[in-house]
Every structure is written in structure tokens, then in C-alpha cells.
Amino acid sequence: MIFRISKSVILLGLIVCAFLACTNSDDYLFNEQDLQEIEVSAVITNSFENDAEKKKTDTIQPGDSLIFLTTVKPSKSIRNRQYYWTMDGSNFASEYSFKKNINDPGIHKIAFVFIDFFGDTLSDTITITVASSPIIDTEKFIPANKTQNIDPDSTIHFAWNSYDPDSLWETFFRFVLQNSEQDTLIDTLLHQANFSSHKKLSPLQKYTWTVTAYNEFNQESKESLSASFFTEGRDGENGVSGIIGSNSNLDKQDFKLILLDSIQTPLDTLHLARNDHFNINPLAKGKYSLIASVEDATDFRPDTIQFHLGANQILELDSIVLRDITPPRIQTLTGSDTLDLSDTLRFIVYDLGGPIPESKISVYYENQYLENVTLSKDTLYIPFIKEASAQNWTCKFILINITDASNNKLKQSFYLRPNTTLSEVFGE
């Protein structure tokens, strides 16, 4: 069979071939993926860890870094014309994922933009608020720190200075008033940098007030204002206050405080716990003494504080800190520093500044650390295997290190007597 082809058909074919030859034919080739529905999303996080929280909004300080992440479905490898990030409409980045800081205060809209193979634009937006914490003046305020003679029955006016470094955000304040026992009398939120208290207070007492500033995003000021004042006494009465403690790291200690008048007559005795606050009142004008000691712990040296009281005031003493500078003691049962080898070596350990934790004792035999050492009441038990030194013709030493609760250290050596002679070792 013979097919005849007209000249017009041949010409049309040549035109098509010429057109294809002058065109990038790859642009007309696309994967099945290119026809699928595309989805994009953007999130922020603080870590590249898989379980790190991912959010669409966040509030940060100027200069803080955030990690920006994107998801493209069905895959980031799908053909596209362009992708990029913008912040408030301006170019921000050109990577899928990156870490970057933002310095400009304000509320910023950050968008990830994806233009697909066909020129369609997809985007997702996150919101970042960049805000500086408010600043509060911790030097200038009223009443000034440690103000005396505040009338306990009158209204007390408090005022302070604070500002927003960005000049953008609303600032509010938390005001707290506490007595010397740290009972909270007032705890309130304010929208102005002042407060007037109409609460009646007790005479001859110390009160502490604190102010912390926040912005509308609940960002807290780095520092808080903290100050105290003292209420006046009645009819020339006075008081003395302070805190007592020690250089020991024990959680529990019992202290005794004796108040004496100018002729050393005891007026009052207080039994206190570690870091307790004391307030002794009312007291008349005159000279006084306080004798502070740690009960049942004679390694702590008692301290005597002498002071004079004027009128209608509380004298706040510096913190009373009693010190133990005496190291622990150790001795053998016989009192000698040389002892015979036995299955268990025993030593008497004592410290008059408080109990010694077993963890603070280490024992070495000829520079080798010994385990399973135990302390029961005042006796240190060191298990020892005779066979380890069955043929000991020279003195061997044991080094014992002990640290007490006040960090005083003891290092003492003891010696084990020879249990044989060199001649016996070699069978002579």
C-alpha cells in the first residue's frame, strides 16, 4: 500500500520540529509529583533536637537566636522555581532551615514563601515578638532602705522608678510586703510605680518590701527592688534584731542567745535554729550584751556582741556567724599511733562541732584506697585481711583523711607493726 503525503503536511511537520529545536524541551517534561497538591509550613524552635518544642509564635529578647524550620509536602525535592523567607515583607533568608537572631524590638511577621514549578505561590507565616525586659531602679526609692521610726499606725507611701527600654510595652509591678517572720502581709499587682499602704503594723518590727517589674508579655525585670524599714516604738522603747548562723554545712543546729544588761545581768534567753531571725523588744535605752553559742557543740567559739540602744528604734545587728576552726580528732583504742594487724582495725573519731558524714572519711593502706570503711557513733571500723600482709617484716602505714561539717580537715598516719622477720620470710 502506498501512502501519499501532501506538501502541506510535510511543511507542518518541519515547523513543529523547528519550534521544538528552539525551545528548552525539558520545561515541558514534569514528574507526576509536580501534579500533586503541595503544602508548606514554617515553625520556630530553640533546638535541633527532635523532641524540641516547635511553635508558630514566640517572645524573645533582642539578640536572642531562634531556629527556623520548614516542611514541604510531599517533599522538599519537588521541583520549584524559588523559595525564601521574609520578615515584615523584606528579605530575611534563603534556606529551608537556619538559625538567626533578631535585634529589632517589635512584633514581626516572618513568612516562608515557596513558588512551585507552575509559578503558584504558597506561604506560611509565624509571629515573633522581640521585647526587652523592663528595668527597675534598685538605688533610688522611698522609703530608703533601713529607714527607722516609721509610724506603725499611719499610711506608708512607697515609690520607685522603672522604664521600658523599647518604649513600646506596658509595664506593671508586683509589690510584696513581709514582716520579719516572712509572713506576707500584702501581695498585689500595680500598673503604676507607687503604692500606699493603709495597713496597721506592729511597733518595733522590721518589714521588708520588694518590687518586681513585668511587661505585657510577662517578661520579668532582671533585678528586683528589695528594701526594709523599721517601725518606731512607744514611749522611748527600743529593740534589737539580727540573724544567727554558723560556718557549718549541717542543716540542723541549735543556738542559744543570752541578753545581758550593762551590769551583766541576764535579761532574756533565746533558743534558735540555724539562720533564725530574732527580734528582742521592748528594751529601754542603755548598754547591752548578747552572748551567742551553739548548744552541745563546743568546737564553736561563743561570740559576745556589745551594743547601745537609743530611743524608739530597732538596732539591726550584722549577721552573727559562729565558727568552728577545730579539725576532727582520731586515735587508736590504746592511744598509740602504732597498732597490731587484725581482721578489723578500730579507731575512735570525734568532733565537737557536729556529726561527721561517713562519706567524708577516706582510708589508704600503703597508698591503696580501702573500701567498706564504716563509722558507727564514734568508732571507725576498717576491715583488714591478715593474709594481705601475712609476711610483713617492716612497718606499713595507714593514712586517714577526715573532713568535718565546717570543712576542717584532718590527715593522720598510723603504722602497723611487723608480724614477722626478714629471716623468717626466707626460712633462715
Side-chain angles (χ1 to χ4, degrees), residues 381-408:
Y381 297 89
I382 304 176
F384 211 86
I385 302 174
K386 280 187 176 182
E387 289 75 9
S389 299
Q391 294 183 323
N392 174 27
W393 66 89
T394 61
C395 281
K396 303 291 186 180
F397 77 92
I398 289 179
L399 177 65
I400 301 177
N401 295 324
I402 304 175
T403 303
D404 69 13
S406 299
N407 207 35
N408 298 306

Side-chain angles (χ1 to χ4, degrees), residues 403-422:
T403 303
D404 69 13
S406 299
N407 207 35
N408 298 306
K409 300 180 186 299
L410 169 73
K411 180 184 290 186
Q412 190 162 334
S413 296
F414 296 89
Y415 300 90
L416 295 177
R417 292 187 181 92
N419 59 0
T420 187
T421 65
L422 183 61

Side-chain angles (χ1 to χ4, degrees), residues 100-163:
K100 198 168 185 176
N101 60 333
I102 305 176
N103 297 308
D104 297 332
I107 300 176
H108 302 288
K109 298 293 184 180
I110 300 178
F112 173 68
V113 181
F114 185 90
I115 303 175
D116 69 10
F117 174 77
F118 298 102
D120 294 331
T121 300
L122 300 93
S123 66
D124 192 25
T125 302
I126 56 181
T127 303
I128 306 294
T129 300
V130 182
S132 303
S133 297
I135 293 176
I136 190 167
D137 188 344
T138 59
E139 299 295 331
K140 299 177 182 177
F141 49 83
I142 57 172
N145 191 31
K146 298 187 178 180
T147 296
Q148 293 273 359
N149 297 109
I150 296 289
D151 185 351
D153 298 321
S154 66
T155 298
I156 306 174
H157 300 286
F158 302 86
W160 57 91
N161 297 313
S162 179
Y163 68 95

Side-chain angles (χ1 to χ4, degrees), residues 224-245:
S224 295
L225 184 162
S226 181
S228 60
F229 62 88
F230 301 88
T231 52
E232 65 182 359
R234 316 282 191 195
D235 303 323
E237 293 175 338
N238 302 272
V240 61
S241 70
I243 296 175
I244 191 166

Side-chain angles (χ1 to χ4, degrees), residues 39-43 69-72 76 82-86 93-98 110-115 121-126:
E39 295 179 8
V40 299
S41 67
V43 294
L69 303 174
T70 58
T71 301
V72 178
K76 287 181 180 177
Q82 192 178 11
Y83 57 85
Y84 54 90
W85 294 77
T86 63
S94 57
E95 298 86 12
Y96 276 118
S97 301
F98 60 96
I110 300 178
F112 173 68
V113 181
F114 185 90
I115 303 175
T121 300
L122 300 93
S123 66
D124 192 25
T125 302
I126 56 181

